[in-house]
Amino acid sequence: MGRSPDLLLRGGTLVDGTGAPAREADVAVVDGRIAVLPAGTGVTAAESLDVTGRVVAPGFIDVHTHSDALAAPHGAGGTAEPLDDLRLAPLLQGVTTEICGNCGTSLFPSLPERLPELADHLRVTFGLGPVRPAVDFDAFAAGQDPALRHTHIASLVGHGTLRAGVMGFAARPPRPAELDAMCALLDRALARGAAGLSTGLIYPPGTYADTEEIVALAEVAARHGKPYVTHLRDEMSQVESALEEALEIAVRSGAPLQISHHKTAGRHAWGATLRTLPRLERARAEGVDVLCDVYPYTAGSTVLHAMLPPWASEGGVGALLERLREPGTRDRIRTDIARGVAGWENTVGNGGWDLISVAAAPTSPGAEGRTVADLAAGRGVDPVDQACDLLLAERGEVTIISHSMREDDVRRVLASPLSMIGSDGVPKPGRPHPRWAGSFARVLGHYARDERLFPLEAAVHKMTGLPAGRFGLTDRGAVRDGAVADLVVLDPASVRDTAGFDRPLLAPEGIDTVVVSGRIAARDGRPTPVRAGEVVRVR
């Protein structure tokens, strides 16, 4: 090692992230890097922790977050405090690296002249007040405040942001010069360290793109050896055809394919994982590099305006709000939800307003935790009018939770060898989905230990080695000599999630110590003053 370790974790059971069987070993940290030592070594360190009876694992990698804007001051006077619980939630469940920029929305890139209209779109998406987009990856990285970063962060390039940053919110194909500009901005971002390309094909403006547009951009990602990460065009009744589109894009472009938060939601798609998962396995056997991620809940979360047909959002947030003031618009929305629109997922039509609850409405806290149907009944109005009125009152900034999945489908995706774990956390004030604070502990406790869905070693691999390999995080995701010292110490007998829909930010139990870049960032399940998170550039 050359010199005495800064930190020694002794007496623990090592689950190293590769999927290999657990073994006894001591783990040392020297200058922020790992050294794996034989159990019972006589090495002394500046700080030594006895972790007998505990598991030592790599820091977890959350492959699917929407935490892009958290590392910036928000609230009155630009203070950090209002969002501290949101910022700490990943760390306290053992996450040391987050991948943001998912579902087609990132804070960059944009042509300078498009920044003002893009800023309003991002305000609605992230729900944290004014959010400033960046022209490129370097500006995004420079805008991250290290004093607010508990974890490392890597970012994808969001296709929706890229499209809006070049051609605004027009519902049309890009002109050749516009597509060239999008490809050039994407190429620069990937060269500077962005982790891949993401799409959110149910969200405007991403939903306005056809397959050809996405293939052209995915070809850029392929040249960099980086993945195409997609929220499918439909995760409900048309999930199988949407999956075929994603596979086509991967085959034609040559890019590795990551299916985001794979699910088969809504009553018309329940049970479809019996077909989608074998389809993914068959594609891999045919040479397509396809994997997926999943969160361990039967409810999802997104923005309220995604419950409306795509035409409603053409032109951006301002245009949406103007339309919602017109009675004719609301009648058309009602008709489209009842009858469906070709190519539109139609969450409400596949479930109902009684399954859609409000998670965040900044100026209407009394609405949070209640369904749109319940709110509408209380006012004696139609649910569509209730949704539109709430969007107008909040200037579009409303997040919802949708109870749309079935447990057997979730279990099948979790158990698949092709799946890794991502929280899909939407960290906004109010009553956010508990997955932001509970996903990783829930997999370890409920599904691995209690339900015996897979061994602990497999669960940890889904959170560490598998995602590190997918996203090119070459010095993370495994406890091995020379790797970055991102580590978790947990009690396998007691680890469990405690966050629920009523109290969504409760910290889990059984996560004892979290080490970020060799420094103890959480001790005895509580945060320390350490802020060791960095922006990770993927080369």
Side-chain angles (χ1 to χ4, degrees), residues 51 97 216 334 339 377 400 451-452 454 500 505:
V51 294
T97 301
R334 272 185 277 272
R339 297 179 181 176
I400 58 94
E451 295 294 314
R452 301 181 184 274
F454 32 62
L505 294 178

Side-chain angles (χ1 to χ4, degrees), residues 232-273:
L232 298 174
R233 204 175 290 276
D234 196 319
E235 296 177 315
M236 293 189 160
S237 61
Q238 301 302 310
V239 63
E240 292 174 76
S241 61
L243 183 59
E244 291 301 327
E245 180 191 30
L247 290 168
E248 177 189 345
I249 291 166
V251 169
R252 291 176 58 190
S253 69
L257 174 62
Q258 180 79 9
I259 306 297
S260 293
H261 43 58
H262 183 42
K263 64 175 75 74
T264 55
R267 62 182 181 272
H268 300 299
W270 287 340
T273 53

Side-chain angles (χ1 to χ4, degrees), residues 345-361:
E345 184 173 83
N346 194 6
T347 299
V348 177
N350 280 282
W353 288 110
D354 58 322
L355 299 179
I356 307 295
S357 61
V358 177

Side-chain angles (χ1 to χ4, degrees), residues 36-377:
V36 181
L37 306 175
T41 181
V43 170
T44 59
E47 181 173 6
S48 181
L49 299 182
D50 183 350
V51 294
T52 302
R54 300 297 193 258
V55 162
V56 179
F60 304 145
I61 299 168
D62 188 341
V63 299
H64 194 105
T65 82
H66 297 279
S67 60
D68 311 52
L70 272 183
H74 293 279
T79 59
E81 288 75 9
L83 300 180
D84 275 354
D85 287 346
L86 287 167
R87 293 189 177 101
L88 284 167
L91 178 77
L92 296 181
Q93 60 171 323
V95 171
T96 57
T97 301
E98 300 170 38
I99 298 176
C100 67
N102 281 283
C103 295
T105 302
S106 56
L107 294 187
F108 66 94
S110 173
L111 299 175
E113 60 269 26
R114 291 287 187 183
L115 289 172
E117 63 180 317
L118 182 57
D120 201 36
H121 170 68
L122 295 178
R123 171 189 61 79
V124 168
T125 301
F126 292 108
L128 298 172
V131 176
R132 289 188 295 177
V135 293
D136 57 22
F137 182 86
D138 289 338
F140 162 75
Q144 295 284 305
D145 185 345
L148 301 178
R149 277 246 68 89
H150 297 275
T151 63
H152 306 300
I153 190 169
S155 182
L156 302 163
V157 178
H159 160 256
T161 297
L162 186 64
R163 197 179 210 271
V166 170
M167 55 181 290
F169 293 84
R172 60 171 175 79
R175 301 182 180 97
E178 292 170 332
L179 184 57
D180 288 346
M182 290 162 64
C183 288
L185 286 174
L186 175 61
D187 183 69
R188 173 178 168 80
L190 295 173
R192 299 298 291 173
L197 167 70
S198 82
T199 56
L201 298 180
I202 74 160
Y203 300 115
T207 191
Y208 306 141
D210 62 16
T211 302
E212 297 301 318
E213 177 181 331
I214 306 303
V215 169
L217 293 165
E219 287 175 343
V220 178
R223 290 200 296 271
H224 289 268
K226 294 180 178 180
Y228 167 54
V229 182
T230 182
H231 180 146
L232 298 174
R233 204 175 290 276
D234 196 319
E235 296 177 315
M236 293 189 160
S237 61
Q238 301 302 310
V239 63
E240 292 174 76
S241 61
L243 183 59
E244 291 301 327
E245 180 191 30
L247 290 168
E248 177 189 345
I249 291 166
V251 169
R252 291 176 58 190
S253 69
L257 174 62
Q258 180 79 9
I259 306 297
S260 293
H261 43 58
H262 183 42
K263 64 175 75 74
T264 55
R267 62 182 181 272
H268 300 299
W270 287 340
T273 53
L274 290 168
R275 298 183 296 277
T276 61
L277 291 171
R279 179 66 183 101
L280 294 180
E281 291 165 0
R282 188 165 69 252
R284 278 193 72 85
E286 295 167 352
V288 181
D289 183 4
V290 58
L291 295 169
C292 65
D293 52 75
V294 58
Y295 50 83
Y297 297 87
T298 57
S301 182
T302 188
V303 287
L304 178 58
H305 66 76
M307 303 298 100
L308 309 181
W311 56 261
S313 293
E314 183 179 357
V317 175
L320 167 67
L321 298 179
E322 283 302 311
R323 287 189 187 98
L324 296 185
R325 294 185 175 93
E326 302 168 5
T329 295
R330 300 185 181 200
D331 290 339
R332 184 180 173 189
I333 290 171
R334 272 185 277 272
T335 298
D336 285 352
I337 288 174
R339 297 179 181 176
V341 175
W344 174 45
E345 184 173 83
N346 194 6
T347 299
V348 177
N350 280 282
W353 288 110
D354 58 322
L355 299 179
I356 307 295
S357 61
V358 177
T363 69
S364 308
E368 293 171 355
R370 299 177 63 188
T371 69
V372 173
D374 179 50
L375 291 167

